[in-house]
Amino acid sequence: MMEKQQQSQLQSVYNPKIVEDHWYQFWLENDLFTATENKDKRNNYSIVMPPPNITGSLHIGHALNNTLQDIIIRWKRMQGDNVLWLPGTDHAGIATQNVVEREIAKEGKTRHDLGREEFTKRAWQWREKYGSNILNQLKKMGCSCDWSRLRFTLDEGLSKAVRKVFVTLYQEGLIYRSNYVINWCPRCKTALADIEVEQREENAKLYYVIYPLKESVEETIIVATTRPETMLGDTAIAVNPKDKRYEKYIGKIARLPLVGRELPIVADDYVDPEFGTGAVKITPAHDLNDFELGQRHQLAEINILNDDGTTNQNAGEYMNMTVLECREKVLEDLKDKGYLKKIENYKHSIGHCYRCDTVIEPYLSKQWFVKIKDLAKPAIDAVESNETSFIPKRWSKVYFEWMYNIRDWCISRQLWWGHRIPVWYCKDCGEMMVRMEDPSECSNCHSKNIVQDKDVLDTWFSSALWPFSTLGWPEKTPDLENFYPTSLLVTGFDIIFFWVARMMMMGIKFRGDIPFEKVFINPLIKDIEGKKMSKSKGNVIDPLLMIDQYGADALRMTLAALTIQANYIRLSKDKIETFRNFTNKIWNVSRFSLTHLEEFNPKEVKEENLQFSLFDEWILNQLNQTIKKVSDSLQNFKFSDAAMAIYEFTWNYFCDWYVELIKETLYRKDSSPEKETAQYVLWFVLDNILRLLHPFMPFITEEIWQKIPHQELSISISGWPEYKKEKAKKNLEEKVSTIQEVIKTIRNIKAEMNIPLTKGIDVFIKVVDSSKGKLIKEHLSFIKNLAHVQSVEVSESMKKPECAATGVLEDIEIFVPLKGVIDLDAEVHRLEKKLLKIEKDMILINKKLNNTDFIQKAPDKIIKKEREKIKEQTDIRDRIQKNLKALKSI
Ligand SMILES: [Zn+2]
Ligand SMILES: [Zn+2]
């Protein structure tokens, strides 16, 4: 007996630390997360995880993104689907390269000292050591990924996919090499994607420079620029064709000050007549817009920078300077020679390297590109026709905006860590070879003197293939057959273009089908005041710390409860604490339930023997409705609605009322149909609550569920509760609410009159309608138990007894005689004292609120709080006054 008790009972306090690790291990040992090779595709449900960087550490954004995926995955798994949640990591080119560079910097070395091969080796070593950190953190969160299918973007298979895509696109003329102006970090010596450039508004200067015309030096055209040193690379001046001021200059030639180069004056719509003087200098090698304008007007491209950001021979006498040195010298000379008209203060955004904060230089170089327009077309169509749909719907607009204005994609990066571009050049005959397999000699002249392209591919290139490369492509695999297209992608709005759009294009191109049916865009988390979380502001919430403090379930449930379909949500520690309290509530109600289910075996219950009370029927009906609400909400990705529905049912219906209502029955010693029914309903509802909660709070639900009577190995495969439409009942709510209101009113009278809740009292109830009277009489025992009442009399002709406190409901009056129950004089005295104090407080607050100085200076939040306080105090004062009046009338 003792043994059995120990087994079936829960620890007195919930300890997430022990429970969480234990059950995660159990799930792994029993292979519960592994998808099977299933011939029947209809039953399959798949998600590929947005691969975190191997340099990553779990932040609150990951926590949210993965919680939402796990909720859907666990929910589908419980429904019996063959579920695949494929995890993996991204090699994160520049991020990893920088981390490894910092490591070797500790030895006083640079990557150039090690050489490419040794450096790459070190990067792999780093990855072996630290690259799985973030995955272990996901396990802490309870993520039920199929770890047997773990992938890494630099895996052999995925690398093969990358090559296959590159070679195919090249052969079809969709990959080409060309000059291009890129974001160049002179410190990291690499091109950066736009997303990797941090734009910051800075105070700068706008310089007005005089360019004389070739025909007559008297005539000049003035241009404004923030980067005067780039004039050394100028090859034209441009004006807007509609700008009347400059009509006469179009087609003429200007002379570049200090250098003397001839510059054509061209007309182009790109020029903004409002900026500066309306005439701009054009430097195709050092500005992307100038580069594109240059292409339209066949302008020369003069690159004046080395790859370390210093000036090269094209800068003439300004060679071998840093950009800033060069700027100073050029300005000095312009001033001396009378070419500098004026200088204005000017605010504009300057790009910085997101890794090392160096100022980005737009830089002309040979890069590889994907010709994108033809790939974009079917990817646009797929979203327009709803083959792939965004949730919330509005995000498809962002997608379309990007896709309609798409530019060719620069895919080469000057890094060592990543997929090296599969192109070889013959040093003898200049032949270029694009190959699946590394060639050993030149295909043209058979020379062995060949070299591979130095660059690697943009990390987004391999992640664009993620939904099918992870399933085995280019091989024909059962996984690809079973799980592509995937069912759902959950990601953030900041990478709709960089990632989602590119997966769409590549999936359709190489698999002939969309990569995912639905894209849920999860909100971004801000702090409670709506500010972005950042280390410098000190308002970051660390999910691992939260798990340590409150448990993974509390964190997950909080994140789910906050996830409305908005752009931003606000998180605070307080909110996580609220849901930690919820875990404790579930724990305690389960402990109570278990003590009453020890001898209970649901299999022995014969349904025809059960005698459902009004409250049994009511809680079962509420449960049925909750199942519908949670299921429907998850179906529509309304995570907050789903989480709150089960939260409210558990707390407000089950714990606060139902369990209280059946306590007396459960405590009965002898078995009876009522007791058996109460046990049955208790078990049934608790079991359903745990299963509804499991996707949100996997650990605590497994721990408790294992202790209540159950069939399956784990709650995670125990089946999802089913809504039974035919069992939905109306009218129950009204009846139960009448009884609840009576109980609440009696409790309130007790509280207000300072009568201890457990003190038995007499109650008289006057009803208007006889059916209500009947209802109350039938449930007297519940009222007596929950409101601690000795006797209750109910009638339509009830007169108010002497010396009684009164509570009024819609068509019911409740009287509680006070004589002999409380010391009337002492109570009057107590209330008068309390009243005095409240009135004093109110005067103080009102003084504050009438003080104009305070109103002007205090934050709105504080003022609002004070106003709320006044309202609250007024309510309490009114109630005390009413009670005093009642007492004094006695
Ligand atoms: Zn950098
Ligand atoms: Zn050759």
Side-chain angles (χ1 to χ4, degrees), residues 703-726:
E703 172 75 9
I704 299 167
W705 186 84
Q706 292 285 347
K707 306 233 157 133
I708 66 172
H710 64 273
Q711 301 276 339
E712 297 81 1
L713 176 69
S714 157
I715 188 172
S716 64
I717 48 168
S718 67
W720 181 251
E722 239 178 275
Y723 170 66
K724 297 205 170 71
K725 198 175 171 203
E726 70 284 1

Side-chain angles (χ1 to χ4, degrees), residues 774-836:
K774 190 166 167 270
L775 175 74
I776 293 172
K777 279 179 193 160
E778 279 171 3
H779 297 93
L780 276 185
S781 63
F782 295 101
I783 297 171
K784 283 180 179 174
N785 288 330
L786 265 69
H788 297 278
V789 173
Q790 258 165 13
S791 74
V792 187
E793 272 182 45
V794 187
S795 90
E796 286 158 72
S797 57
M798 180 72 63
K799 290 231 160 48
K800 182 181 173 181
E802 261 181 38
C803 302
T806 314
V808 182
L809 296 175
E810 202 181 325
D811 46 5
I812 298 172
E813 275 183 278
I814 297 173
F815 309 113
V816 176
L818 297 171
K819 228 180 211 168
V821 175
I822 53 171
D823 179 340
L824 290 180
D825 290 339
E827 186 56 17
V828 168
H829 183 66
R830 186 185 72 89
L831 286 179
E832 277 173 344
K833 236 169 97 185
K834 203 168 164 189
L835 188 63
L836 216 63

Side-chain angles (χ1 to χ4, degrees), residues 94 98 185-189 192 353-358 360:
I94 190 169
N98 275 293
C185 173
R187 216 274 332 158
C188 302
K189 289 192 188 165
L192 297 175
C353 173
Y354 84 120
R355 280 284 142 199
C356 73
D357 212 39
T358 304
I360 293 303

Side-chain angles (χ1 to χ4, degrees), residues 11-24:
Q11 300 282 321
S12 60
V13 177
Y14 178 54
N15 182 345
K17 276 179 196 148
I18 300 170
V19 168
E20 291 177 356
D21 289 346
H22 169 75
W23 289 115
Y24 202 86

Side-chain angles (χ1 to χ4, degrees), residues 512-536:
D513 203 347
I514 49 162
F516 20 73
E517 281 149 18
K518 292 194 163 74
V519 182
F520 180 76
I521 300 294
N522 63 238
L524 210 74
I525 299 182
K526 294 194 168 182
D527 77 2
I528 196 67
E529 272 149 25
K531 292 194 191 101
K532 207 177 153 188
M533 289 189 183
S534 77
K535 271 192 191 139
S536 59

Side-chain angles (χ1 to χ4, degrees), residues 622-730:
Q622 287 295 344
L623 172 67
N624 200 27
Q625 297 305 325
T626 305
I627 292 170
K628 181 169 169 22
K629 174 91 188 173
V630 177
S631 306
D632 289 354
S633 300
L634 285 178
Q635 191 70 45
N636 295 305
F637 302 97
K638 300 201 160 163
F639 292 95
S640 177
D641 291 354
M644 288 319 288
I646 177 67
Y647 174 89
E648 276 158 16
F649 173 75
T650 306
W651 196 305
N652 303 344
Y653 291 81
F654 183 63
C655 296
D656 279 0
W657 284 104
Y658 182 71
V659 172
E660 294 301 318
L661 286 161
I662 60 166
K663 261 185 184 166
E664 193 268 342
T665 315
L666 289 174
Y667 278 120
R668 282 181 209 166
K669 285 268 177 315
D670 309 321
S671 58
S672 65
E674 289 88 9
K675 184 170 174 181
E676 193 185 17
T677 308
Q679 283 177 314
Y680 173 80
V681 177
L682 181 69
W683 163 78
F684 185 84
V685 177
L686 181 61
D687 172 69
N688 275 272
I689 284 176
L690 294 172
R691 284 189 285 140
L692 286 173
L693 264 177
H694 179 70
F696 302 87
M697 308 176 84
F699 296 109
I700 191 172
T701 50
E702 183 82 272
E703 172 75 9
I704 299 167
W705 186 84
Q706 292 285 347
K707 306 233 157 133
I708 66 172
H710 64 273
Q711 301 276 339
E712 297 81 1
L713 176 69
S714 157
I715 188 172
S716 64
I717 48 168
S718 67
W720 181 251
E722 239 178 275
Y723 170 66
K724 297 205 170 71
K725 198 175 171 203
E726 70 284 1
K727 287 204 169 166
K729 287 193 184 113
K730 287 176 185 159

